[in-house]
Amino acid sequence: MRRFLPLLLVALVAAGTTLAAATLSVRWWLAAGPALALTCLGGRDLLQRRRTVLRNHPLVGRLRRPGEQAPPGGARPDGQEFLVPSLWPVEAAEEAPVVRVGGPDCAQPYDMALLNVSAMSFGALSSHAVLALNRGAALGRFAQDTGEGGLSEYHLRGGGDLIWEIGTGYFGCRSIDGGFDVREFADKAALPEVKCVSLKLSQGAAPGGGGVLPGVKVSAEIARERKAPVGEPVVSPPCHRVFSTPRELVLFLARLRESAGGKPVGFKLCVGARREFLAVCRAMVAEGVAPDFVVVDGSEGGTGAAPTGFAGRLGMPLTEGLITVHNALVGVGLRGRVRIGASGRVATGFDIVRRLVQGADYTNAARAMMLAVGCVRAGRCHTGACPAGVATQDPLRTRSLNVAAQAEQVRRYQRETVREAVSVMAALGVREPRGLTPAHLVRRAGPGTVRSYAELYEWLAPGELLAGPPQSWAADWKAADPDSFR
């Protein structure tokens, strides 16, 4: 309630000076007039529903200086990388392309948009923010990843398509002892809103560690959702309990797909050692089982759960991670049945096209979607005191977020960003993502020197690892063990 004290004090000053003007001297109107005007302005801030910061911080919110305008992801393009336009561009496609996710073992494939809402849990975000994102996804016909916090009523209420993420804490399908409850999973995976299931192995900015929800954000509602004590931090284990080897991982994915009624199932990771991902690929080949998709999270991705020393320092950046996963799947002959999603500071049409060139089939955005739903970058996500009502469990702060208005903002942001990506592809002479090649993206390698991605990176041929890996891959391929992550 302290955030309302400035308005209360101004109102008290206005009342006192008005009384003095009426009973003592008209000169008091010199003070009463401005005080009354400020009181009216603060009341308007409190009652309006367009700007959540002003509603949560009447009067004081007006002192916040807007930052320099920049793309929602943060940094502006620095010119170190650029796409190569064609002298013979094509007309942009009228309909935004979609990506069919679902391999031969999938009974219910899903058409994924080029840009979707990345993993953000109810708990990390407020109920209103989750609901606004979901309604925005429903309006724009794209998907929302639930994050590892479970399937909440706010994910289900808005009618949007969901990618249900299962983390190491198994929230939403958690047994009494903290393990995986297959019956609860099957019941929830059967819900029509759930279109895909994603198993989280690791996440950008915090690979090697489980997610953390600070105790200040663990309300009674969150505690019920996650089967945890109220007010205490919820820490997910660093590893899964239901498998311990690459082979067991791919077999568990097959089990999830069967339990989900044949809906697409995949996993998310921030790539570390190339050898480890190759071990998973070896297990896929050995068992004849493959996921329907893999989401690659870049180490530069943002998360409020990440220790400060982890962010951007553990795991591969998205560029290297994408190219590694794409090449590995191509090299074992599975790329045609496994789709790749990219997540990590995706914000603009250029970002989408850049990631498609590097090996992705579609992209996910978290930070940009938070900005679309009203985030003001206050940097207070971990405190529960988000001034915009986005990353808080304080009901008084949450109520300020206008779900209908922010859902429309989310829809509009996704639509315009995808349109920009389609226009960029057209400028390259390409109407669909499959027409993009590594030659379309160029990086400055030094003064007066530029190289395309076709020249900078090695690109494997289909089945090349199985036929005989090139020297640059031979050591990792030989060391990759389908029965050990180490």
Side-chain angles (χ1 to χ4, degrees):
M1 296 298 293
R2 288 181 298 177
R3 61 187 183 275
F4 299 117
L5 284 178
L7 176 58
L8 179 60
L9 290 174
V10 169
L12 290 175
V13 170
T17 52
T18 300
L19 180 62
T23 60
L24 298 178
S25 171
V26 293
R27 293 182 179 180
W28 279 102
W29 283 113
L30 295 175
L36 287 169
L38 287 173
T39 302
C40 292
L41 185 62
R44 180 183 177 186
D45 290 346
L46 193 61
L47 296 175
Q48 59 82 38
R49 303 194 61 177
R50 291 178 61 98
R51 300 173 64 184
T52 56
V53 173
L54 290 184
R55 197 169 185 211
N56 271 329
H57 299 270
L59 291 182
V60 176
R62 294 178 175 274
L63 300 178
R64 180 179 177 272
R65 294 179 60 188
E68 179 187 2
Q69 292 299 312
R76 294 180 180 274
D78 58 10
Q80 296 301 311
E81 287 189 345
F82 57 91
L83 294 163
V84 181
S86 172
L87 290 176
W88 196 257
V90 298
E91 291 288 335
E94 294 184 4
E95 294 290 330
V98 294
V99 180
R100 176 61 59 93
V101 176
D105 298 323
C106 177
Q108 301 184 56
Y110 177 67
D111 289 336
M112 192 79 71
L114 290 186
L115 178 64
N116 306 277
V117 181
S118 195
M120 293 182 283
S121 302
F122 171 49
L125 300 188
S126 69
S127 57
H128 281 39
V130 170
L131 182 55
L133 288 168
N134 190 259
R135 287 187 180 173
L139 291 170
R141 293 183 295 178
F142 51 96
Q144 176 190 24
D145 190 310
T146 65
E148 66 170 302
L151 275 173
S152 72
E153 63 171 294
Y154 309 106
H155 287 110
L156 298 169
R157 190 190 298 173
D161 293 345
L162 295 175
I163 302 167
W164 182 15
E165 182 174 285
I166 310 295
T168 55
Y170 306 116
F171 302 122
C173 51
R174 179 183 175 93
S175 62
I176 296 177
D177 65 353
F180 175 71
D181 187 329
V182 65
R183 291 186 178 179
E184 186 175 10
F185 169 79
D187 289 343
K188 292 183 178 179
L191 294 171
E193 294 86 355
V194 176
K195 304 301 182 183
C196 304
V197 175
S198 178
L199 187 70
K200 192 195 89 168
L201 304 186
S202 61
Q203 66 191 56
V212 179
L213 185 65
V216 70
K217 300 179 78 170
V218 183
S219 64
E221 188 175 20
I222 298 298
R224 288 194 302 271
E225 198 75 38
R226 302 200 184 196
K227 299 180 181 178
V230 176
E232 295 186 15
V234 179
V235 182
S236 302
C239 299
H240 280 270
R241 295 174 57 175
V242 291
F243 60 85
S244 59
T245 69
R247 192 185 304 272
E248 291 175 356
L249 163 61
V250 300
L251 292 175
F252 182 63
L253 291 171
R255 180 185 172 196
L256 286 178
R257 184 161 48 215
E258 181 180 1
S259 299
K263 291 180 179 179
V265 169
F267 63 89
K268 180 179 83 172
L269 82 165
C270 178
V271 183
R274 184 170 67 175
R275 169 186 52 80
E276 289 186 341
F277 189 77
L278 288 175
V280 177
C281 291
R282 275 190 176 273
M284 295 179 196
V285 173
E287 295 297 328
V289 174
D292 298 295
F293 62 91
V294 175
V295 175
V296 182
D297 223 2
S299 62
E300 67 270 41
T303 169
T308 303
F310 277 38
R313 295 176 175 87
L314 268 69
M316 291 187 187
L318 186 52
T319 293
E320 283 71 24
L322 269 179
I323 293 173
T324 296
V325 170
H326 170 79
N327 266 322
L329 291 172
V330 169
V332 297
L334 292 174
R335 183 65 179 89
R337 62 186 287 186
V338 181
R339 299 290 176 253
I340 298 177
S343 175
R345 296 200 177 183
V346 175
T348 67
F350 168 83
D351 294 333
I352 294 175
V353 177
R354 176 189 179 208
R355 298 312 181 186
L356 298 181
V357 167
Q358 293 170 347
D361 294 296
Y362 63 92
T363 63
N364 299 328
R367 188 174 320 195
M369 292 293 182
M370 283 185 69
L371 291 173
V373 88
C375 169
V376 294
R377 300 187 186 184
R380 306 182 71 183
C381 304
H382 62 293
T383 68
C386 170
V390 175
T392 180
Q393 297 307 314
D394 181 343
L396 290 179
R397 294 178 186 272
T398 297
R399 71 155 182 69
S400 67
L401 196 152
N402 186 324
V403 172
Q406 299 308 136
E408 175 59 26
Q409 185 75 1
V410 169
R411 179 197 70 85
R412 190 181 307 120
Y413 163 70
Q414 192 272 354
R415 181 191 64 193
E416 296 306 319
T417 304
V418 171
R419 280 181 179 176
E420 181 182 280
V422 171
S423 297
V424 169
M425 285 191 288
L428 306 184
V430 172
R431 287 181 60 87
E432 297 183 353
R434 62 185 176 184
L436 295 169
T437 71
H440 280 116
L441 184 60
V442 170
R443 180 190 295 174
R444 180 175 287 111
T449 304
V450 296
R451 295 285 185 272
S452 75
Y453 268 63
E455 302 169 286
L456 288 170
Y457 291 89
E458 183 178 21
W459 301 90
L460 300 183
E464 188 173 354
L465 290 175
L466 300 177
Q471 184 177 358
S472 57
W473 286 73
D476 284 337
W477 180 248
K478 182 179 180 180
D481 183 353
D483 292 307
S484 176
F485 282 111
R486 299 190 183 275

